[in-house]
């Protein structure tokens, strides 16, 4: 089932085309990665999803409802972490939770307390006493504690250290297991690598990839490093090879095509050591954005 459908979405700010004919769909139960460098159009798309902005063209349906006409109803079904979370400087963490309990009901208190504990967030601290990372933890707690059917997270791990990132990723996996759906924006491909079922990449307002991370990696090939006890065999005539560097006993290159001819050649050579790695995510991004 299409839980969220973005159809031919465009957004102009004056002369600036922030989004240009963007379409994608998110299925129920997916963790969907929305990737792109700063200024790509991620937050603009997300603000339209949340009903804070109107599209110039195109539309978005969430749970089959139009994001503009049903903005109020939809906000109740979505846990949202904004790019710049709106928090009250003089309120404590617990004040924010109490406020939400008043709107949403007492059942969310237990789940907020659990999240505070998991994320190591002190309920007594005022927002103005919190670091960016701790403010981000509060924003995450407020979005997740209502246990919504959809989470829309705009670069939620900004300011979190690697350990907390991992904890947060674990929370998202648990949420998914329980049937939840996530839209996660990030400018860091490695962040979404293990987490996301599907990703789209946006650049200058245009969608440039709609794929899975493993397919993206596969399409961008492998790096091979081999060490031989004898002279290096000739790889240069094999299709798809790039950046070949050979010394007397070692060879290094990238290959975008099928690995089989290389493996066949290696199998009849005197290989002492071999390393085959997928192209790094940085390599992939560099190539996509150039
Ligand atoms: P991202 O979240 O991917 O970093 P944004 O969606 O925030 O990108 O921004 C996309 C483009 O739209 C940028 O060039 C940004 O400067 C511009 N932009 C975003 N919001 C506004 C606005 N309210 N008014 C004018 N330009 C905007
Ligand atoms: Mg943004």
């Amino acid at each position: 089932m299409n839980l969220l459908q973005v159809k031919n979405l465009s957004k102009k700010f004056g002369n600036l085309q922030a989004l240009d004919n963007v379409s994608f769909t998110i299925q129920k139960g997916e963790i969907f990665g929305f990737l792109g460098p700063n200024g790509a159009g991620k937050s603009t798309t997300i603000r339209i999803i949340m009903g804070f902005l109107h599209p110039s063209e195109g539309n978005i349906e969430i749970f089959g409802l139009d994001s503009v006409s049903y903005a109020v109803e939809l906000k109740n079904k979505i846990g949202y972490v904004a790019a710049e979370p709106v928090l009250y400087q003089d309120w404590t963490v617990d004040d924010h939770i109490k406020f939400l309990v008043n709107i949403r009901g007492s059942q969310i208190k237990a789940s907020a307390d659990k999240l505070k504990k998991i994320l190591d967030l002190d309920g007594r601290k005022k927002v103005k006493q919190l670091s960016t990372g701790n403010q981000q933890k509060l924003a995450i707690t407020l979005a997740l504690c209502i246990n919504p059917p959809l989470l829309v997270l705009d670069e939620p791990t900004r300011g979190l250290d690697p350990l907390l990132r991992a904890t947060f990723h674990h929370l998202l996996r648990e949420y998914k297991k329980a049937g939840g759906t996530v839209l996660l924006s990030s400018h860091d491909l490695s962040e979404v690598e293990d987490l996301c079922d599907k990703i789209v990449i946006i650049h200058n307002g245009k969608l440039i990839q709609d794929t899975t991370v493993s397919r993206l990696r596969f399409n961008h090939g492998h790096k091979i490093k081999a060490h031989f006890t004898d002279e290096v065999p000739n790889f240069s005539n094999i299709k798809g090879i790039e950046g070949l560097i050979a010394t007397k006993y070692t060879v290094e290159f990238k290959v975008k095509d099928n690995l089989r001819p290389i493996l066949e050649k290696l199998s009849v050579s005197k290989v002492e050591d071999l390393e085959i790695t997928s192209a790094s995510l940085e390599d992939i991004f560099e190539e996509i954005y150039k």
Side-chain angles (χ1 to χ4, degrees), residues 11-14 16-19 34-47 53 83 154-155 185 202 205:
K11 179 71 187 173
K12 273 189 159 184
F13 295 110
L16 179 89
Q17 186 86 43
L19 293 174
F34 192 38
L35 275 154
N38 286 333
K42 303 182 296 297
S43 296
T44 302
T45 308
I46 286 175
R47 287 187 190 115
L53 285 176
D154 198 347
E155 304 200 28
S185 99
I202 186 171

Side-chain angles (χ1 to χ4, degrees), residues 226-230 249 269-274:
H227 192 101
F228 301 86
T229 49
D230 214 337
Y249 293 113
S269 315
K270 293 194 170 156
V271 181
E272 190 178 58
D273 195 13
L274 175 65

Side-chain angles (χ1 to χ4, degrees), residues 150-289:
L150 173 65
L151 284 174
V152 173
L153 310 172
D154 198 347
E155 304 200 28
T157 56
R158 210 176 7 171
L160 297 187
D161 63 49
L163 203 64
L164 265 160
R165 251 179 206 230
T167 305
F168 175 65
H169 290 174
H170 176 73
L171 283 173
L172 289 189
R173 283 196 193 95
E174 293 291 305
Y175 168 79
K176 176 189 154 155
K177 246 190 240 163
T181 307
V182 185
L183 169 63
L184 171 76
S185 99
S186 177
H187 62 259
D188 177 1
L189 189 48
S190 65
E191 150 131 328
V192 302
E193 179 162 38
D194 298 326
L195 200 60
C196 294
D197 304 292
K198 213 178 151 204
I199 58 170
V200 294
I201 298 176
I202 186 171
H203 186 39
N204 290 335
K206 287 193 174 73
L207 219 63
I208 50 171
Q209 296 271 347
D210 188 345
T211 183
T212 60
V213 177
S214 55
R215 198 177 314 146
L216 193 65
R217 269 194 186 279
F218 184 80
N219 290 344
H220 284 79
H222 292 84
K223 267 187 190 165
I224 314 251
K225 271 187 191 176
H227 192 101
F228 301 86
T229 49
D230 214 337
E231 287 212 359
V232 172
N234 182 14
F235 286 94
S236 59
N237 53 359
I238 296 179
K239 199 170 142 237
I241 280 191
E242 284 176 11
L244 184 89
I245 303 169
T247 64
K248 192 167 180 199
Y249 293 113
T250 67
V251 70
E252 210 182 305
F253 53 83
K254 260 169 86 174
V255 56
K256 284 209 170 168
D257 226 300
N258 197 339
L259 281 177
R260 183 173 289 274
I262 289 153
L263 295 176
E264 275 166 6
K265 184 153 264 192
L266 287 167
S267 71
V268 294
S269 315
K270 293 194 170 156
V271 181
E272 190 178 58
D273 195 13
L274 175 65
E275 202 183 302
I276 302 181
T277 47
S278 326
S280 82
L281 298 170
E282 286 68 29
D283 292 346
I284 295 172
F285 254 29
E286 220 168 80
E287 197 161 318
I288 289 171
Y289 293 160

